[in-house]
Amino acid sequence: MSRIENHIILGDLEEKKEVQITVDGQVITAREGEPILSALLANGIKVQNISAKKHEPRGYFCGIGRCTNCVMTVNGDPNVRTCVALVEDGMVVETQDGLGKWEESK
């Protein structure tokens, strides 16, 4: 994993519990409570979705939840902004193709 351990403004990286999340079928290590996007970038995952119009890969852009570049399907819910959604142990994250699909409730 590659992370910034010491930031000139934010200081030292706070210790947090390591958890496992599944991204597109691959289990990765993340830090509980960090933004999903942080865990993805720390594990070398740069593409979060495929654009609906041009079918091109999209990823990190604003990092504050204002755009939709980082939306992914999280635990079956599409269009989750991964830059502001927080990691929970055992969550399932999938690269979203286009606008995403809502699964019908049973």
Side-chain angles (χ1 to χ4, degrees), residues 8 11 25 30 32 37-38 46-48 60 64-65 76 78 83 90 93-94 98:
I8 193 167
E32 189 172 57
L37 184 59
S38 294
K46 297 178 183 176
V47 175
Q48 282 73 57
Y60 174 73
I64 58 172
C83 66
V93 181
E94 299 169 297

Side-chain angles (χ1 to χ4, degrees), residues 73 76-79 96-104:
T73 300
D77 295 332
N79 302 312
Q96 185 171 303
D97 190 358
L99 301 176
K101 296 182 176 101
W102 288 96
E103 293 182 15
E104 199 173 311

Side-chain angles (χ1 to χ4, degrees), residues 16 72 103:
K16 291 190 176 182
M72 297 182 83
E103 293 182 15

Side-chain angles (χ1 to χ4, degrees), residues 21 34-41 74 80 82 85-87 91 93:
I21 65 174
E34 76 178 329
I36 296 168
L37 184 59
S38 294
L40 299 174
L41 293 173
V74 178
V80 174
T82 58
L86 304 180
V87 164
M91 68 183 357
V93 181

Side-chain angles (χ1 to χ4, degrees), residues 23-39:
V23 181
D24 293 331
Q26 173 188 357
V27 176
I28 66 169
T29 301
R31 297 165 60 90
E32 189 172 57
E34 76 178 329
I36 296 168
L37 184 59
S38 294

